[in-house]
Amino acid sequence: MDRRDFLRRGAGTTLGLSGLGALLAACGSQTGAPAPEAGPPPATTPGGETAATTAAATTAEATSAEGELPFPLARPDSPVTLPIFDDNPPIDSGLEPEAGPLKIYNWIDYIWKRKVKDFGKEFGVEVELSSFYTMDEAIAKLATGQTDYDVFFPTPDRMSRLAYGKLLRPLNLDYIPNLANMWPVFSNPFYDQGARYSVPYTIYTTGIAYRRDKVKTDPFELANGYEILWDPAYKGKAFVLDDSREALAMVLLKNGVTDINTEDPALIEMAKQDLISLIDLVNVKYGIEDYTKIPEGSAWVHQGWSGDMLAGSWYLPEGTKPDVLGYWYPPEGGGVIGNDLIAVLAGGKNPVLAHHFLNFMLDETNAYENMINFNGYQPPLTSLSAESLIADGFIPENLAAAAVRQEDFENAYLLLELSPDGQTLWQNAWAEFKAGV
């Protein structure tokens, strides 16, 4: 089945917090002592203190504010250096790649299969690709300990629990020189100081995808572009993303709340009620097929990801011009922004080969071709700018708002890791909304 047919069979649903129980239990009962010296040297923050010191302070603050937590909550102003445990060390340098097969666990249809085949051909190994729909689904499966995947594509908001749960293998960056091709911030990101466990894959924003030939008011003409989803004119044609964090964060921003990682029950209740109002108002639906539903016209407005709209032209019906596609993101910035990652799993049998795969996907040509030939999501290459993508025609004028720039991260909002109690609040609100749709 191709990407479109697979997704039409139905996306997976978000699991409750109980699905993370095994991992949370593991996070709270580690017996291996952290060995910071086993990883890269401690990175220094702008203030001159080591990131390890900052991470210790972050952990203490999270513990006092939230109660005993099994992992620290990384924040841009409180970066975290994830520990390296004696019983889960990085691999040595200079090792030969294993014979495979390399097993990859990735979001559904989020990588060009030709690139996967190219890697297998270059290293003379078989490559197996398995997929998931949601991060909760993926982590619940990994936490069972019954998998032997080698490569995983996590998100920054799960890095602490994955590292403390020993599901990820610490990286030996000697095998990944192509990390230098990426924006410098990803050599020392706040959620994983020193890039001990992750390298970047793609960057994106979350906004509103729409059919320009169907909407009566361009969202760029509205004082609050999010309001277009609440317009009764699009009843039966309005969708939100099937993602608890994304959907509720959008409602918070619509209502002027910029703390999209809040654990305030009152704010989450407000967001839930406003989201529920869409059920009667526009007969709202939810899904992750924005890149097919908008092009095909089964949705006229759809909360969506920038990369999906850049891939959307490939799903237009024959004879439909690409300029019918639109993507709104706050012109002044201040919307949701994010990046996805690639990591090596501790349970895999091919750690050296897995490191080579990460390096392969950070190659400038491979990263660029993966974007323009399949998934539409920008890699954060220093050699690739939003302006060049627009000038080359990959990003057309009608989708210019889907371009992502380094400076966009300075005034946008990131979905960050929540405490277990906070995660429960968000997931319960989302489950109540979905029950009514």
Side-chain angles (χ1 to χ4, degrees):
M1 293 180 289
D2 65 17
R3 183 181 189 185
R4 182 187 315 200
D5 290 337
F6 195 108
L7 287 172
R8 279 176 169 169
R9 300 290 179 91
T13 57
T14 302
L15 301 177
L17 189 64
S18 59
L20 303 179
L23 177 56
L24 292 177
C27 289
S29 58
Q30 300 302 334
T31 56
E37 67 279 5
T44 58
T45 66
E49 68 273 29
T50 66
T53 302
T54 306
T58 302
T59 305
E61 290 170 2
T63 300
S64 62
E66 307 289 349
E68 190 66 31
L69 287 176
F71 48 79
L73 301 180
R75 297 293 185 263
D77 59 351
S78 296
V80 166
T81 298
L82 298 171
I84 294 176
F85 297 96
D86 289 337
D87 57 352
N88 183 32
I91 60 174
D92 292 331
S93 300
L95 302 176
E96 290 296 318
E98 300 85 1
L102 182 72
K103 298 183 179 181
I104 300 172
Y105 195 36
N106 192 9
W107 298 86
I108 182 68
D109 291 308
Y110 199 30
I111 191 169
W112 194 24
K113 290 182 180 179
R114 180 172 297 181
K115 281 297 152 193
V116 174
K117 292 179 180 179
D118 287 347
F119 175 82
K121 184 177 180 180
E122 180 175 331
F123 284 84
V125 298
E126 295 294 324
V127 182
E128 300 176 4
L129 183 61
S130 299
S131 303
F132 57 86
Y133 283 106
T134 73
M135 191 53 55
D136 283 345
E137 168 197 345
I139 292 177
K141 185 173 182 178
L142 294 175
T144 67
Q146 303 301 307
T147 66
D148 61 352
Y149 300 121
D150 298 296
V151 176
F152 181 49
F153 289 69
T155 50
D157 64 315
R158 306 303 178 94
M159 286 303 297
S160 286
R161 70 185 64 199
L162 287 168
Y164 276 77
K166 299 182 184 177
L167 293 184
L168 301 181
R169 185 186 299 274
L171 298 178
N172 181 336
L173 297 181
D174 287 348
Y175 293 97
I176 315 176
N178 284 336
L179 180 58
N181 295 334
M182 300 292 159
W183 293 353
V185 66
F186 291 115
S187 296
N188 196 39
F190 71 91
Y191 50 81
D192 181 17
Q193 292 275 278
R196 285 185 160 191
Y197 285 91
S198 65
V199 296
Y201 181 50
T202 61
I203 51 178
Y204 61 90
T205 60
T206 309
I208 303 294
Y210 61 101
R211 278 288 296 255
R212 299 173 68 231
D213 58 336
K214 300 295 185 182
V215 300
K216 62 181 182 180
T217 303
D218 189 315
F220 285 99
E221 298 174 359
L222 298 174
N224 185 340
Y226 296 113
E227 293 283 358
I228 196 169
L229 272 169
W230 277 256
D231 190 333
Y234 310 123
K235 192 165 189 175
K237 298 289 187 178
F239 287 73
V240 296
L241 288 169
D242 186 5
D243 185 293
S244 61
R245 296 298 305 279
E246 290 280 15
L248 289 165
M250 175 191 66
V251 181
L252 289 171
L253 290 175
K254 167 183 171 282
N255 288 279
V257 179
T258 58
D259 181 5
I260 60 171
N261 303 291
T262 181
E263 298 188 8
D264 183 337
L267 290 176
I268 296 170
E269 176 67 17
M270 176 275 293
K272 179 193 74 176
Q273 293 300 333
D274 202 2
L275 198 59
I276 287 174
S277 73
L278 288 170
I279 298 173
D280 291 335
L281 193 62
V282 298
N283 191 24
V284 72
K285 305 294 191 301
Y286 55 82
I288 58 171
E289 308 94 332
D290 49 323
Y291 56 87
T292 64
K293 290 189 178 300
I294 289 292
E296 294 172 350
S298 56
W300 292 356
V301 290
H302 197 313
Q303 183 191 17
W305 289 301
S306 57
D308 281 354
M309 278 305 94
L310 294 178
S313 60
W314 305 329
Y315 295 90
L316 287 166
E318 186 175 353
T320 304
K321 295 181 179 180
D323 62 5
V324 302
L325 301 178
Y327 179 77
W328 175 88
Y329 186 74
E332 69 286 354
V336 173
I337 201 167
N339 62 283
D340 286 333
L341 310 170
I342 322 180
V344 175
L345 287 166
K349 298 178 181 178
N350 303 277
V352 182
L353 195 61
H355 278 70
H356 282 289
F357 180 79
L358 268 60
N359 193 57
F360 180 87
M361 291 308 301
L362 298 187
D363 173 81
E364 289 184 313
T365 299
N366 293 332
Y368 178 72
E369 290 182 349
N370 184 52
M371 173 188 63
I372 65 170
N373 291 318
F374 187 70
N375 73 8
Y377 283 78
Q378 285 177 244
L381 288 167
T382 56
S383 61
L384 185 65
S385 68
E387 287 68 29
S388 67
L389 289 170
I390 294 171
D392 292 344
F394 177 74
I395 299 180
E397 183 179 350
N398 54 295
L399 294 175
V404 185
R405 299 166 176 83
Q406 291 192 55
E407 57 267 28
D408 293 336
F409 280 80
E410 297 174 5
N411 63 344
Y413 303 105
L414 298 160
L415 293 168
L416 304 174
E417 195 140 27
L418 301 172
S419 73
D421 287 345
Q423 187 81 0
T424 299
L425 286 171
W426 281 71
Q427 289 183 327
N428 285 347
W430 178 242
E432 188 173 340
F433 161 73
K434 292 182 75 172
V437 174

